[in-house]
Structures are given as structure tokens and as C-alpha cells.
Amino acid sequence: LQTDTDVVVLTTGVLVLITMLPMIPQSGKQYLHDFFGIFGRLSTWCLQNPGHVAEIYLVHLHASVYALFHRLYGMYPCNFVSFLRSHYSMKENLDTFEEVVKPMMEHVRIHPELVTGSKDHELDPRR
């Protein structure tokens, strides 16, 4: 997912990741920044289409990235919002934020952990 360019493999891989994440919440946390990086990479893919793939494949990729957004926001809201702030505050990522990520954010409610939790508490094994 970090390097592949085949949109079918990427879409399938994201769907597998979304399925696996709730089963490995503690062991997956060591790869959290990798998961966030995958989200960032594929969000950009949805906008720029560097592989010049057919529109139907992009629709499926976008749907899987949207599902990944929900999974990451639901499981690690503080860490994910922190990643979104740092990644999309860079000038080169602003278009992706405006066109892809911001519409995703407009369809979720504020997560209670953003108010009562912290990035460290979120990764605590007792949670």
C-alpha cells in the first residue's frame, strides 16, 4: 500500500486493512504512522490519478479511502487529527485536503476522545 501503483491492488489492500485494524488495535499501533501515510498517499491518488486509471477504479479507490478515513478516525481520533493537521498544513498537500479530505471531515461528528482523551491515552494498552 505504500508503494504499489495498481489501483485494484490498492483498493483491495485498503479494504483488507480496514477489516484487520479492529482485530489488532494494540499490535497495529506500532504501524500507526504507516497507516496514516497510506491514507495520505491514497488521498492524493484520488485527486491526481498518477496511474491514469479508469474513472470506475478511482471511484472504488475513493470509497475505500473514505472507509479508511472512518476507521482511523473512529479508532485513533487524536492521533489521526494530529496527522491531518501536520500533513495537510503543508502547501503541496492543500489541494488534496480541499478536494478529498475536507469533504470526508464534513460528514463526521466530533469524536468524544478529541475532548476527553489525548494521543498518549489513545495508545494506552489498558484502553
Side-chain angles (χ1 to χ4, degrees), residues 13-53:
V14 170
L15 295 175
V16 169
L17 178 62
I18 293 164
T19 304
M20 296 298 292
L21 270 172
M23 297 174 198
I24 56 164
Q26 285 305 309
S27 53
K29 71 181 182 183
Q30 64 189 356
Y31 302 108
L32 202 54
H33 294 288
D34 293 332
F35 300 152
F36 294 161
I38 290 166
F39 174 81
R41 176 178 184 254
L42 296 181
S43 296
T44 302
W45 248 77
C46 289
L47 181 65
Q48 296 176 353
N49 189 7
H52 306 289
V53 298

Side-chain angles (χ1 to χ4, degrees), residues 35-87:
F35 300 152
F36 294 161
I38 290 166
F39 174 81
R41 176 178 184 254
L42 296 181
S43 296
T44 302
W45 248 77
C46 289
L47 181 65
Q48 296 176 353
N49 189 7
H52 306 289
V53 298
E55 186 69 26
I56 189 67
Y57 293 121
L58 281 182
V59 170
H60 285 91
L61 179 64
H62 189 272
S64 65
V65 170
Y66 187 59
L68 180 61
F69 170 85
H70 276 276
R71 179 70 74 208
L72 294 172
Y73 182 72
M75 289 181 69
Y76 307 103
C78 297
N79 285 282
F80 189 51
V81 168
S82 176
F83 163 77
L84 294 175
R85 272 194 199 111
S86 66
H87 186 73

Side-chain angles (χ1 to χ4, degrees), residues 110-123:
I110 187 167
H111 198 291
E113 284 292 316
L114 293 172
V115 176
T116 61
S118 69
K119 287 170 49 174
D120 295 329
H121 170 71
E122 208 168 74
L123 300 178

